[in-house]
């Protein structure tokens, strides 16, 4: 059984899979297409990605792919925890530039669904954090884009001081939203 809970931006959901445990450990069905379809979410995932971050404060994002290679993402944490952030980058949306965050962790056993038209990023809240996410289209370098994590026009309230964050060169050089190619 999978519970689906809407978050503050339309199309962004927290997914809560059931977990069944005993003295041996646990079992959980973390993805079930029929259960999600019953909740109104019908997606075909084509690729799984797995990231490992050794330190607390690793920030990855804000990332997205442009159409026709835009991706929906289903993100979960198998070890550690993250603050996951989703930003509406659909220029004609009533929630353009708005963001929502959710703590996703192995302990909570929750997931976040990020639809097309939203930039996505996260910061690790613990050392040795592992994140796995499904996507609905393959990685396409030609369509891959990013936005600065600290863009003042978005105003994300990250839980750690910017000076302590670890970012890739690509993410450090990402443009502000106003200088980015985004969704119409």
């Amino acid at each position: 059984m999978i519970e689906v809970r809407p978050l503050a931006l339309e199309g962004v959901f927290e997914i809560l899979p059931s977990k069944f445990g005993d003295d041996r450990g646990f079992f959980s069905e973390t993805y079930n297409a029929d259960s999600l379809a019953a909740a109104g979410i019908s997606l075909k995932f084509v690729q799984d990605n797995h990231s490992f971050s050794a330190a607390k404060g690793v920030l990855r994002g804000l990332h997205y792919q442009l159409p026709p290679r835009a991706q929906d993402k289903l993100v979960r944490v198998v070890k550690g925890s993250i603050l996951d952030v989703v930003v509406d980058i659909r220029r004609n949306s009533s929630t353009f530039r708005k963001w929502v965050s959710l703590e996703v962790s192995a302990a909570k056993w929750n997931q976040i669904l990020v639809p097309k038209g939203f930039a996505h990023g996260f910061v690790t809240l613990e050392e040795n954090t592992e994140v796995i996410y499904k996507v609905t289209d393959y990685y396409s370098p030609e369509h891959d884009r990013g936005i600065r994590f600290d863009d003042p026009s978005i105003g994300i309230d990250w839980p750690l001081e910017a000076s302590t964050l670890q970012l890739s060169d690509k993410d450090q050089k990402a443009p502000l939203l106003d200088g980015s190619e985004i969704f119409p």
Side-chain angles (χ1 to χ4, degrees):
M1 177 163 171
I2 294 177
E3 180 184 346
V4 176
R5 187 175 70 88
L7 297 178
L9 295 175
E10 185 176 346
V12 181
F13 296 95
E14 181 178 22
I15 310 294
L16 300 144
S18 295
K19 198 174 190 182
F20 305 96
D22 60 26
D23 59 349
R24 300 169 298 156
F26 72 86
F27 172 82
S28 181
E29 190 174 84
T30 60
Y31 173 75
N32 182 302
D34 288 342
S35 293
L36 290 178
I41 302 168
S42 295
L43 300 170
K44 180 185 175 201
F45 293 104
V46 298
Q47 179 177 310
D48 280 0
N49 300 320
H50 189 146
S51 76
F52 168 76
S53 299
K56 176 180 178 177
V58 171
L59 194 145
R60 299 177 186 269
L62 301 162
H63 302 148
Y64 60 98
Q65 284 190 180
L66 291 171
R69 302 302 299 272
Q71 299 173 319
D72 302 283
K73 297 177 182 178
L74 181 59
V75 181
R76 69 189 185 103
V77 174
V78 295
K79 184 176 182 189
S81 61
I82 62 174
L83 181 72
D84 199 285
V85 175
V86 181
V87 181
D88 189 343
I89 58 169
R90 300 168 298 162
R91 195 172 301 282
N92 295 324
S93 168
S94 64
T95 55
F96 178 61
R97 291 187 202 272
K98 302 285 186 213
W99 59 275
V100 65
S101 65
L102 178 70
E103 184 178 330
V104 181
S105 70
K108 290 183 176 187
W109 206 246
N110 60 341
Q111 302 174 38
I112 188 167
L113 179 68
V114 181
K116 294 172 184 167
F118 292 78
H120 171 255
F122 63 84
V123 63
T124 58
L125 303 175
E126 299 179 44
E127 293 179 348
N128 300 313
T129 293
E130 293 188 51
V131 178
I132 295 176
Y133 58 101
K134 297 179 164 311
V135 294
T136 56
D137 203 343
Y138 300 101
Y139 173 69
S140 173
E142 311 84 64
H143 299 89
D144 184 43
R145 299 292 185 275
I147 298 168
R148 284 282 302 185
F149 77 98
D150 59 353
D151 185 327
S153 76
I154 300 170
I156 297 169
D157 185 18
W158 296 101
L160 303 170
E161 291 297 319
S163 62
T164 67
L165 299 174
Q166 295 180 39
L167 288 90
S168 68
D169 288 340
K170 173 185 158 185
D171 289 346
Q172 287 176 359
K173 296 174 183 172
L176 299 175
L177 180 60
D178 287 337
S180 298
E181 219 179 330
I182 57 171
F183 289 69

